[in-house]
Amino acid sequence: MDGKESILIVDDDERTRRSLKAVFESKGYETETAGTGREALKKARQRFFNLALLDIRLPDMEGTELLAPLKEMHPDMAVILITGHASLEGAIEALNEGASAYLTKPLKMDEALATIREALEKQRLA
């Protein structure tokens, strides 16, 4: 690794993963992707990511179910949840379980990048 901040993108939609990967890499982040919760956990066991961007709805589990094991493996990892099915209750639950932020789909890329920068800055200061 060359010192770049790294992001694990976890979403069941391949087009979303590819699009986010392209945008984040163009901004200088190192990225990896996963289409399922199990795949995300496997990748997180293999290395540290500064940030995980988790879709709430995955084929094998809810994104919120990934919060605890990811934070247990990497307490300093920032986690941002994304969903197309936003609710105030879901946002509160995600934040109470350790998420750094909660974004809704369709993502507004400027807002998503600002949220990622803010989460990574808080991580650096912690």
Side-chain angles (χ1 to χ4, degrees):
M1 200 160 105
D2 57 10
K4 288 183 180 181
E5 290 173 309
S6 57
I7 300 175
L8 176 60
I9 301 162
V10 186
D11 196 296
D12 60 329
D13 183 71
E14 185 178 346
R15 270 187 285 154
T16 299
R17 290 193 310 269
R18 277 198 316 254
S19 297
L20 291 173
K21 181 177 180 66
V23 169
F24 297 155
E25 287 181 351
S26 77
K27 299 297 181 183
Y29 297 109
E30 179 184 338
T31 64
E32 283 199 39
T33 64
T36 66
R38 279 188 217 91
E39 185 182 0
L41 290 171
K42 180 180 177 185
K43 289 187 177 202
R45 281 186 201 100
Q46 295 170 349
R47 62 166 291 200
F48 173 75
F49 292 92
N50 297 93
L51 185 136
L53 189 65
L54 307 177
D55 189 5
I56 292 253
R57 294 213 174 147
L58 297 169
D60 58 345
M61 65 180 69
E62 293 292 311
T64 51
E65 293 176 62
L66 287 173
L67 274 167
L70 288 175
K71 294 297 259 180
E72 191 174 302
M73 276 186 263
H74 305 294
D76 296 333
M77 178 189 289
V79 178
I80 297 173
L81 290 165
I82 56 173
T83 185
H85 311 280
S87 72
L88 181 58
E89 296 81 20
I92 291 169
E93 176 187 353
L95 295 171
N96 284 339
E97 291 183 21
S100 302
Y102 187 91
L103 297 171
T104 57
K105 289 180 181 179
L107 290 178
K108 295 176 185 90
M109 206 44 66
D110 288 342
E111 178 185 340
L113 288 167
T115 301
I116 287 168
R117 282 192 301 271
E118 183 180 311
L120 291 171
E121 183 61 27
K122 285 180 184 176
Q123 179 190 67
R124 279 190 294 274
L125 296 173

